[in-house]
């Protein structure tokens, strides 16, 4: 993200960082250093990459003072504005980065949920609405210091839980609780089906895990 970022980008980046901090799959990957010793930095880098994609869709700021200057500027510096990323594009980006940077293959659909919320954050930022951003920031603040635990029962989807045993938080303004999500299936792409232990629980693995 550029140092002279627009107010839209600043508001968007705030919400994006908070939403990524609430993504259990990314939280566990960072905590376990699946992306190496710089896993935490990669999380912020991911936010920067996504922000850059949306910033590229903003129209350039014109500084021309006369009609002649404006014509000259348009002919010499054609607009490079790109279409706004959509949910599918962001989902694909998230899945690819999780695979490339953290060696995690997600099969839980959570990347789509994140992508959908990211697009919502951008639309809100363009309108100057910060309510959703503030809600996400409050939830992310409550999640600090909590370690997501995962336990998947074979044949069914369980929930992410936090290590302190707290139950579902009741203070989400829009009724959503990002502290608990469906457990992602972090499976090696080469495997046809998840391994299970003697108790019938799925063994969650990252790519290359032994």
């Amino acid at each position: 993200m550029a140092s002279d970022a627009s107010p839209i980008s600043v508001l968007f980046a705030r919400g994006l960082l908070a939403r990524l901090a609430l993504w259990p799959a990314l939280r566990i990957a960072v905590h376990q250093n699946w992306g190496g010793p710089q896993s935490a930095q990669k999380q912020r880098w991911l936010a920067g990459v996504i922000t850059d994609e949306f910033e590229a869709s903003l129209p350039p700021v014109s500084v021309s003072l006369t009609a002649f200057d404006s014509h000259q500027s348009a002919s010499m510096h054609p607009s490079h504005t790109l279409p706004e990323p959509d949910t599918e594009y962001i989902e694909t980006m998230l899945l690819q980065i999780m695979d490339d940077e953290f060696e995690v293959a997600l099969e839980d659909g959570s990347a789509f949920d994140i992508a959908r919320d990211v697009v919502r954050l951008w639309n809100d930022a363009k309108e100057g609405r910060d309510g959703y951003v503030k809600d996400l920031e409050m939830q992310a603040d409550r999640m600090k210091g909590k370690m997501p635990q995962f336990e998947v029962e074979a044949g069914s989807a369980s929930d992410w839980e936090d290590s302190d045993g707290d139950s579902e938080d009741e203070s989400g303004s829009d009724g959503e609780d990002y502290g608990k999500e469906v457990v992602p299936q972090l499976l090696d792409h080469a495997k046809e089906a998840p391994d299970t232990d003697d108790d019938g629980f799925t063994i969650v693995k990252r790519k290359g895990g032994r």
Side-chain angles (χ1 to χ4, degrees):
M1 185 170 58
S3 58
D4 55 346
S6 68
I8 293 175
S9 297
V10 172
L11 181 60
F12 173 69
R14 284 173 50 197
L16 177 58
L17 285 168
R19 187 64 184 95
L20 291 177
L22 292 166
W23 188 11
L26 181 57
R27 289 175 59 213
I28 192 72
V30 169
H31 186 272
Q32 297 294 331
N33 284 330
W34 287 350
Q38 295 185 332
S39 291
Q41 289 89 332
K42 286 183 177 182
Q43 180 172 336
R44 295 189 65 86
W45 168 80
L46 171 59
V49 169
I50 295 174
T51 301
D52 288 343
E53 291 287 334
F54 281 94
E55 282 185 332
S57 69
L58 292 174
V61 178
S62 175
V63 294
S64 301
L65 299 177
T66 67
F68 175 77
D69 289 337
S70 178
H71 175 75
Q72 289 292 95
S73 177
S75 60
M76 295 175 61
H77 305 285
S79 173
H80 294 289
T81 300
L82 301 175
E84 288 185 2
D86 59 14
T87 300
E88 182 179 0
Y89 180 87
I90 296 300
E91 179 189 18
T92 300
M93 176 185 293
L94 291 170
L95 290 172
Q96 188 65 51
I97 290 177
M98 289 295 288
D99 193 357
D100 291 346
E101 300 298 331
F102 295 97
E103 299 185 349
V104 171
L106 290 174
E107 299 180 355
D108 67 329
S110 65
F112 173 82
D113 296 333
I114 299 295
R116 177 197 58 205
D117 292 344
V118 166
V119 172
R120 173 183 172 181
L121 284 166
W122 179 251
N123 290 331
D124 283 359
K126 289 191 299 181
E127 298 296 328
R129 299 192 296 265
D130 63 356
Y132 187 41
V133 171
K134 290 180 177 178
D135 179 52
L136 290 174
E137 287 179 329
M138 285 190 295
Q139 294 187 58
D141 187 64
R142 291 197 299 268
M143 294 298 292
K144 286 181 179 179
K146 296 181 179 180
M147 173 57 195
Q149 303 293 324
F150 48 93
E151 186 177 73
V152 186
E153 186 174 353
S156 65
S158 181
D159 289 328
W160 285 86
E161 297 182 353
D162 298 304
S163 58
D164 62 359
D166 286 349
S167 60
E168 198 169 322
D169 203 306
E170 302 174 354
S171 57
S173 62
D174 57 0
E176 296 175 287
D177 184 352
Y178 297 103
K180 294 175 74 67
E181 297 186 15
V182 176
V183 177
Q185 302 296 314
L186 309 181
L187 304 177
D188 190 317
H189 286 306
K191 291 187 177 296
E192 295 294 332
D195 292 334
T196 57
D197 60 18
D198 294 336
D199 296 321
F201 291 101
T202 297
I203 301 172
V204 180
K205 295 183 179 180
R206 65 188 181 106
K207 287 184 63 181
R210 286 180 283 181

